Every structure is written in C-alpha cells, then in structure tokens.
Amino acid sequence: MSGFLWNATAFIVALGILVAIHEFGHFWVARRCGVKVERFSIGFGRALWRKLGKDGTEYVIAAIPLGGYVKMLDERIEAVPDADKPRAFNNQPLWQRSAIVAAGPIANFVFAVFAYWLVMMIGVPAVKPVIGEIAPNSIAAEAGIEPGMELTQVSGVETADWQAVNFALIGHIGDESMTLTAKPSPTSSYGRDYQLDLRQWQFDPEHQSPLTTLGITPYRPAITLSIAQVVEGSAAEQAGLKQGDKIIAVADTELSSWQRLVEVIKASPDQTLSLTILRQGQRQSVVLTPDARRSHGEVTGYAGIAPQMDEWPESYRFTQQYGPFAAIPEAVGKTGQVISMTVNMIKKLITGDVGVNNLSGPISIAKGAGMTAEIGLISFLGFMALISVNLGIINLLPLPVLDGGHLLFFGIEAVTRRPVSERVQDFGYRIGAAVLMMVMAVALFNDFARL
C-alpha cells in the first residue's frame, strides 16, 4: 500500500506541474492577446480550492488531477455582453487564436528544455558504453561488433552513456536496419560504422532490454561474493548476515559466482539453506530461509542482500556536467532528440510497425513517477521532461478535442477564408473524442495486463 501511495503522490505532483505549465501557456498568451480568461483550473470536477484574482480570473484546484483547462470568454459557448465582445476568444484575429492554442504544447517543450538544463548543470554520474560480451550468432555478432568496443553513436546520434544508447535504440523499433558507430576501446581515438540488420529483431520493451535482444551485454565490474547491503527486515538480516560477509559455500558446495548463489536462493523459497561465510577472516555457518515472493505468476526465493562489485576502471567513469550557458544547447538538443523519437514512435504506431501493446497509460506513468522520484531529483526531472514532451506532442495531434484539432480547423479557415461550420466542428469533436477514448482504453488495458 505504501508503494501505491508513493507512486500516486509522485504521479499527482508530476502531472499537476505539467498540466499547470501547459495551461499556463494558453493563459499567458491569451492575456497578452487581450482575451478575458474566466477560469484557470488544474484538475476537473469539484473545486478543492478556489480564489478570485484581481485580474478577474478564478483560479481553481479541482478533485480529479487528470488534466486542466483555461476557460476563456467565447460567444460560441455563452452570451457575451457587448462591452466584453472585443475580449472574446472567437473575435480575435486568426493568428492570435492560433498562438493561444499552440502556446500550451510549446510551454511543455520549453519546460522540457528547462528540466534538461537543470539536469545538465547539476551533473549526472555516468559510465561510458563499453561492451562486455556479445552473444554468439546475435544481430550484433553478425554485424561484426566485438567485446571491449565503446559505442559512440547510434545512427548518427551521439551516445555518451548507456542511457543514451538505450534511448536511441528504442527509437529504432520497427526499423529494418540501424548503424552503430564504435571504437575498438575507450582509449581509441577513432571508430567505424557497423550496419545491423533488424528485420529479425524481436523486442518487447516491457520485459526486455533492447541491448540484450541485439546480443550486447554492457561491461560491468566483476561481482564478488561479498555482501555490500543487507535489506532491513529481510530474511538475510534475520539470519544474521552483515555487510562485508563473504559467502563461500551453500550446503558445503563451494560457490563459483554470485549468480550461482542467486539461482540457489530463487529456487529455495521458504526452504532452509546452510551458508558458509567468511567474517573478518573467520569461517562461520549461517542458516538462511529465503522469503517467498510471487513474480509473473511464479514463486521465487528472496534473501534481501546485494553484492559488492570491483571498482570501475577510472577511464570508464565520468560526470556529464555543464555550465549555465553550455548546458543550454545540450538541453535543447536532448529535447529535440526526445521529440524526434516520440514523433517517430507515433508514426510507427499508426503504420503498424509498432504494436499497440507498447502504449502506456496512467498506471505505468505513475509507476515511472514513483520509481524516478525515489531514485532522486535528477531522475525525476528527466522523467518529467520526457512526459512533458509527450504531453506536448499528443496535444498537437490533429484530433478536434485536442489543441492540434483546433489548429487543424484554423488551418482550414486560413485556406477557405471562413471559419469551419459549428456543425462540422461538433462532428469532428465527437469523432476525436471517440478515437481518444479508444486509445486510452487500450493504454489502460495494457497497464492492467502488466500488473
């Protein structure tokens, strides 16, 4: 329950901020264009808080935190006194109405740049994308990629760390080919291009890593048999295991690796295991009974311990950090990359190159918000930037219930020199609402299927 509350709180905070920014874009430009704004609401339904500003606008925080709106004076909605008609939205020039509508998505893009700018200035510890292993007969192996290489670009997009690599790879779902640029080693000064044939690439973003499905395993320092962390209240703590203990055997069988220990623990839920450990150079025996946990319909054992790892090579580690001015182009470039990838994925959803099972709804977003908020400010800012870009792009889709639909009608008006009839607009709103509801239903179904 605590996990649910944390995810829900992080989701409400993130969505509330992003909606407020989106609606503020509409509000700010409307005010600059002389349009009277009657209400600025974050959320829908019953008002939890309201205040009438000196500018005559009613500011509201409502009970359902799944959106918001800016209510402007408009003769198409209600009667407007003659004195206020010049301040009605529908009486503004076409370019001003278009600017007011487009300002919401633009505000989301501007916020994404701001969030990435903060991340770039704070600094992100990272490791270079050096390959540890290549699976035999894999897509990467067929392309000639080898262990020890450092990936520097994916189809021309620079990849300073593994996060950037994964992000770029996801954008190639549904493509037939992809180009990876790699150096022979992190100390090399040159690289070459490798062409990957993706026609047989099977990738489920919910359960698989794009790297492993291509046959690439990132380099990781060797995992030791020593314990780095013991989870409070876990089976390991109850057994008396401590940080720094080295587990050398299970039931008198010597352990060759930490992975072998994990396999034994997972296969032994609620079963007693006799461990031999080294503690301050002395051999001791410990009895561990792993807890039983259900995951994906299977019951496995869980001990609550994490291993120590050898140190990363110094040449593999770095911090991505920029000054206030240098961070601006980096943030703009990152936002542009996210916009490009999102637009590309939407096109692939429409053409069928990517299945609708990849759509995510509010439950998945809430989980992402909770996880990133738990990791720290930098991760949460990056998550919010990503969702802000998606919110801006989705609102620009040419569906009449969205900002993009209004801009579509304004485009038609610019060509025909007269507004689209209310009858046509009403029909378009009904169609747009139906399409949007179907997409949301599929996204929610996918969310529940992933639980």
Side-chain angles (χ1 to χ4, degrees):
M1 180 59 73
S2 60
F4 169 79
L5 291 175
W6 176 257
N7 290 344
T9 301
F11 172 72
I12 291 171
V13 170
L15 189 62
I17 292 173
L18 297 180
V19 167
I21 289 166
H22 179 93
E23 298 304 334
F24 181 77
H26 293 309
F27 171 80
W28 189 83
V29 176
R31 294 290 300 275
R32 295 302 176 277
C33 291
V35 175
K36 181 178 180 181
V37 178
E38 297 182 303
R39 183 178 298 119
F40 184 114
S41 178
I42 304 303
F44 300 105
R46 185 173 64 87
L48 301 177
W49 174 88
R50 68 174 74 226
K51 179 182 179 181
L52 185 63
K54 294 180 180 179
D55 54 4
T57 300
E58 181 186 33
Y59 298 91
V60 176
I61 296 178
I64 305 174
L66 296 177
Y69 63 93
V70 171
K71 182 184 178 185
M72 291 172 272
L73 202 65
D74 196 321
E75 289 183 293
R76 298 169 302 175
I77 299 174
E78 59 189 359
V80 176
D82 290 341
D84 285 338
K85 285 184 178 181
R87 302 180 64 192
F89 173 81
N90 63 291
N91 290 328
Q92 306 309 309
L94 179 60
W95 72 268
Q96 288 190 349
R97 284 180 279 141
S98 300
I100 292 169
V101 171
I106 291 173
N108 285 123
F109 300 145
V110 171
F111 173 78
V113 173
F114 173 72
Y116 283 131
W117 177 73
L118 286 177
V119 168
M120 301 293 182
M121 285 203 305
I122 294 171
V124 183
V127 293
K128 295 179 180 179
V130 179
I131 298 171
E133 298 178 12
I134 295 292
N137 304 316
S138 63
I139 294 174
E142 294 293 333
I145 296 174
E146 300 177 353
M149 289 182 172
E150 179 189 347
L151 300 178
T152 58
Q153 293 184 355
V154 175
S155 297
V157 177
E158 292 189 6
T159 51
D161 58 9
W162 281 116
Q163 183 183 31
V165 172
N166 277 294
F167 197 79
L169 291 180
I170 290 173
H172 284 282
I173 297 175
D175 290 347
E176 293 188 352
S177 64
M178 172 175 60
T179 302
L180 295 185
T181 305
K183 300 191 299 184
S185 71
T187 57
S188 301
S189 57
Y190 67 92
R192 56 162 289 196
D193 292 340
Y194 297 85
Q195 196 73 18
L196 275 67
D197 185 348
L198 302 182
R199 287 176 293 180
Q200 303 301 317
W201 189 25
Q202 301 296 322
F203 173 45
D204 178 4
E206 287 300 317
H207 302 102
Q208 295 175 303
S209 160
L211 283 166
T212 55
T213 53
L214 291 172
I216 299 173
T217 300
Y219 168 82
R220 292 285 186 273
I223 299 175
T224 71
L225 287 167
S226 297
I227 298 175
Q229 179 184 8
V230 178
V231 177
E232 186 177 348
S234 66
E237 185 184 57
Q238 294 173 12
L241 289 172
K242 298 180 180 179
Q243 181 180 350
D245 289 348
K246 182 177 182 179
I247 305 174
I248 58 176
V250 178
D252 297 327
T253 301
E254 294 285 330
L255 287 171
S256 57
S257 67
W258 184 271
Q259 182 58 35
R260 178 54 188 157
L261 173 64
V262 171
E263 292 171 358
V264 172
I265 290 174
K266 282 188 171 183
S268 309
D270 292 329
Q271 298 179 32
T272 299
L273 297 175
S274 177
L275 308 182
T276 302
I277 67 171
L278 277 179
R279 178 178 294 169
Q280 297 177 347
Q282 301 295 318
R283 293 173 68 97
Q284 297 184 24
S285 294
V286 172
V287 176
L288 170 70
T289 305
D291 295 326
R293 285 196 170 183
R294 180 172 293 275
S295 176
H296 303 295
E298 182 182 3
V299 177
T300 59
Y302 172 77
I305 49 177
Q308 290 182 1
M309 301 177 67
D310 286 343
E311 291 292 324
W312 283 91
E314 196 60 35
S315 61
Y316 287 23
R317 301 171 61 182
F318 67 103
T319 299
Q320 286 184 305
Q321 189 172 26
Y322 302 85
F325 295 106
I328 294 174
E330 295 292 332
V332 171
K334 180 68 173 178
T335 303
Q337 183 184 352
V338 176
I339 290 173
S340 176
M341 187 200 75
T342 305
V343 170
N344 192 34
M345 289 298 291
I346 290 174
K347 286 167 56 180
K348 290 177 181 179
L349 280 168
I350 294 172
T351 59
D353 291 329
V354 172
V356 294
N357 61 307
N358 292 299
L359 283 172
S360 295
I363 297 175
S364 293
I365 295 173
K367 286 184 177 179
M371 288 173 58
T372 55
E374 199 168 49
I375 293 171
L377 176 62
I378 292 176
S379 295
F380 192 54
L381 282 172
F383 172 81
M384 288 185 63
L386 177 64
I387 298 302
S388 189
V389 167
N390 279 265
L391 184 61
I393 291 175
I394 289 171
N395 267 281
L396 286 175
L397 293 176
L399 293 175
V401 291
L402 300 174
D403 294 331
H406 291 288
L407 293 174
L408 175 64
F409 288 145
F410 293 157
I412 295 172
E413 181 179 343
V415 173
T416 62
R417 302 295 182 179
R418 64 175 183 269
V420 177
S421 69
E422 291 188 14
R423 181 181 177 184
V424 172
Q425 290 190 46
D426 182 63
F427 180 75
Y429 291 142
R430 293 174 187 271
I431 296 296
V435 172
L436 198 60
M437 289 297 291
M438 284 191 295
V439 172
M440 290 181 65
V442 172
L444 277 171
F445 176 82
N446 290 341
D447 280 356
F448 285 112
R450 294 168 187 146
L451 291 178

